[in-house]
Every structure is written in C-alpha cells, then in structure tokens.
C-alpha cells in the first residue's frame, strides 16, 4: 500500500541545543563577575584598611617625617609602616625591666579609675587570649541546638566559666561558654553558657566556620567542585532537556 499524498512529511531531527548571542553575553558577564568580584572587594577592603590606618597615624607624625612634605603626592601605606614599627618598638621596650615597670605603673594608674578599670581589664584579657597563641578560646567549632530543638547553629567554643558563675548555673553538669556569630556579619552574635554534653564538636577550622557563616551556607568547607562530576551533571541535564522536547513533539499520523 502506498502512502497517501496528504500524509504529513516526517519531521526533521531536533537540532543540537545551542546558546544564543544574548545567552553567551550573559554567561561571559557572569563569568567576569565571578572572577573580578572577589578580587575587587578584597582590594577595596585592603585599601580601606590602609587609608584608615594612615588617617589615624598621620596626625601624630611630624611634618618633617612625612613623604608628602618632599613629594608632590601622598604615599599610601606610610601610616601603616609607621604603626608597625611603633608597635614593634613598644613591644621591645615592654619586654625589658624598665618597660615592664612603666607598664605596671600605667596599669596601676588605670586600675584606680572605676569606669576605665573595667574596660581596660576586659580588653586586656581579650587581647592576651586572642594574640598570645596559648589560649584555646575560639579555636574549636561546635554545633548547638539554637534557636529551637531540631535547629542547629555553628558556635565558637570559648572557656569554661569561673567558679562563681559555675556555682550559679543550674545542675551539676559542666558548662562551657560559646559565641554564636550572626550571618552575614560574624562580628556580632550571642554569647551564652551551654552544658558541655549539648555541644557537638565539629572538625572544622575557625576560618572555615567564618566563611560558612558569612556566605550564609552558600560556600561549604571542603566542597570544591569536581570538573568530571560537573560535566556529567551538565550532560544529564542536556539529555533530559532533549528528551522533554521529544516528548512534546507531535507524532506523525499512521497510514494504513
């Protein structure tokens, strides 16, 4: 039996999926944004810090020792260099006998001022803990159920409470002080005491925890993309798109 003249002609095979001109421009723009965005923000933060230090230190440097006095332009970072050598010199002087004596006299003077005494002692303990390299504060990362049961939050584990606070806490279990940073600004958050058994320690560095919090979970530690896995996923998505297009194509009429 010969096919009828009015029978529909067979459809051409589906063309290979391609990206249009606007799609290519979009991909190029997003690629450039991903490449240059972190670099630009990092350079901006470094420039802001350098100019901030310059603005703080420059008023204390005599005009005779400023480069702009002899040059027609300002050298950025000069205040940072001056601050670095000044702090190093202060540390050198404070390490000897005379320096320690002067520091003790200054601390005794500040300790007699009620309002300043609490601020100075608190800040001194924080700086000694963070920069001494001997303390264990904020070197461990953990998980606690917060803000409600079943919801877990990243915390930085600090020190155990002192005896007075430990006696005031209910129960006989040992408590630990933790800091819960907020996202996306990890410098703010909540400080509270939690039973030691309620903390789940995580094998994660504080830098990875800060990255996880600042990115609101977008950047996961140790989740570097695998090129082979990404290519396989892209192939599966392309095949699924072609299959869906084939399913929507009308079938030719059968001729008896």
């Amino acid at each position: 039996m010969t096919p009828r003249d009015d029978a529909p002609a067979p459809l051409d095979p589906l063309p290979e999926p391609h990206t249009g001109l606007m799609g290519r421009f979009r991909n190029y723009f997003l690629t450039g944004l991903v490449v240059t965005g972190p670099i630009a923000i990092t350079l901006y933060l470094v420039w802001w810090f350098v100019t901030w230090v310059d603005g703080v230190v420059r008023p204390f440097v005599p005009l005779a020792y400023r480069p702009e006095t002899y040059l027609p332009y300002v050298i950025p970072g000069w205040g940072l260099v001056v601050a670095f050598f000044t702090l190093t010199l202060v540390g050198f002087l404070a390490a000897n006998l005379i320096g320690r004596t002067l520091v003790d006299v200054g601390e005794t003077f500040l300790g007699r001022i009620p309002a300043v005494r609490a601020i100075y002692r608190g800040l001194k303990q924080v700086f000694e803990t963070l920069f001494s390299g001997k303390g264990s504060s904020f070197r461990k990362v953990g998980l606690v159920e917060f803000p409600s049961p079943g919801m877990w939050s990243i915390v930085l584990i600090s020190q155990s409470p002192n005896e007075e606070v430990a006696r005031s806490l209910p129960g006989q279990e040992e408590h630990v002080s933790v800091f819960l940073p907020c996202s996306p600004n990890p410098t703010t958050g909540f400080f509270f005491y939690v039973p030691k058994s309620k903390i789940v320690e995580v094998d994660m560095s504080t830098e990875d925890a800060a990255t996880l919090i600042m990115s609101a979970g977008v950047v996961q530690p140790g989740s570097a993309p695998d090129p082979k896995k990404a290519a396989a996923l892209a192939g599966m998505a392309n095949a699924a798109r072609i299959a869906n297009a084939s399913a929507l194509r009308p079938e030719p009429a059968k001729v008896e």
Side-chain angles (χ1 to χ4, degrees), residues 167-187:
R167 288 195 301 266
S168 302
L169 293 173
Q172 302 296 326
E173 187 176 354
E174 182 183 358
H175 287 69
V176 179
S177 57
V178 298
F179 176 70
L180 191 153
C182 290
S183 177
N185 182 11
T187 59

Side-chain angles (χ1 to χ4, degrees), residues 93-113:
L93 295 177
N96 55 47
L97 180 60
I98 300 177
R100 288 198 299 268
T101 303
L102 295 177
V103 171
D104 293 340
V105 172
E107 290 181 348
T108 303
F109 174 76
L110 294 176
R112 295 182 179 180
I113 305 176

Side-chain angles (χ1 to χ4, degrees), residues 134-202:
K134 300 178 181 179
S136 59
S137 296
F138 298 156
R139 301 184 186 277
K140 295 182 180 180
V141 181
L143 291 170
V144 296
E145 283 190 299
F146 184 88
S148 62
M151 303 176 64
W152 295 85
S153 300
I154 295 287
V155 295
L156 303 179
I157 302 176
S158 184
Q159 299 285 351
S160 301
N162 56 23
E163 295 182 1
E164 183 177 356
V165 175
R167 288 195 301 266
S168 302
L169 293 173
Q172 302 296 326
E173 187 176 354
E174 182 183 358
H175 287 69
V176 179
S177 57
V178 298
F179 176 70
L180 191 153
C182 290
S183 177
N185 182 11
T187 59
T188 61
F190 302 94
F191 170 79
F192 51 89
Y193 295 103
V194 62
K196 196 172 184 179
S197 61
K198 301 296 184 180
I199 302 177
V200 179
E201 292 192 12
V202 182

Side-chain angles (χ1 to χ4, degrees), residues 36-56:
T36 61
I39 298 176
I41 295 176
T42 302
L43 293 178
Y44 171 77
L45 294 177
V46 172
W47 178 261
W48 171 83
F49 177 75
V50 171
T51 53
W52 176 75
V53 174
D54 287 347
V56 173

Side-chain angles (χ1 to χ4, degrees), residues 25 57 77-79 85 120 177 190 217 231 236 241 246:
F25 274 110
V57 176
W78 178 251
F85 282 102
Y120 172 75
S177 57
F190 302 94
M236 293 174 58
R241 187 158 62 90
S246 301

Side-chain angles (χ1 to χ4, degrees), residues 228-254:
K228 295 182 180 180
K229 184 182 295 185
L233 292 176
M236 293 174 58
N238 190 21
R241 187 158 62 90
I242 295 176
N244 292 333
S246 301
L248 294 176
R249 175 196 296 173
E251 296 183 356
K254 295 182 179 180

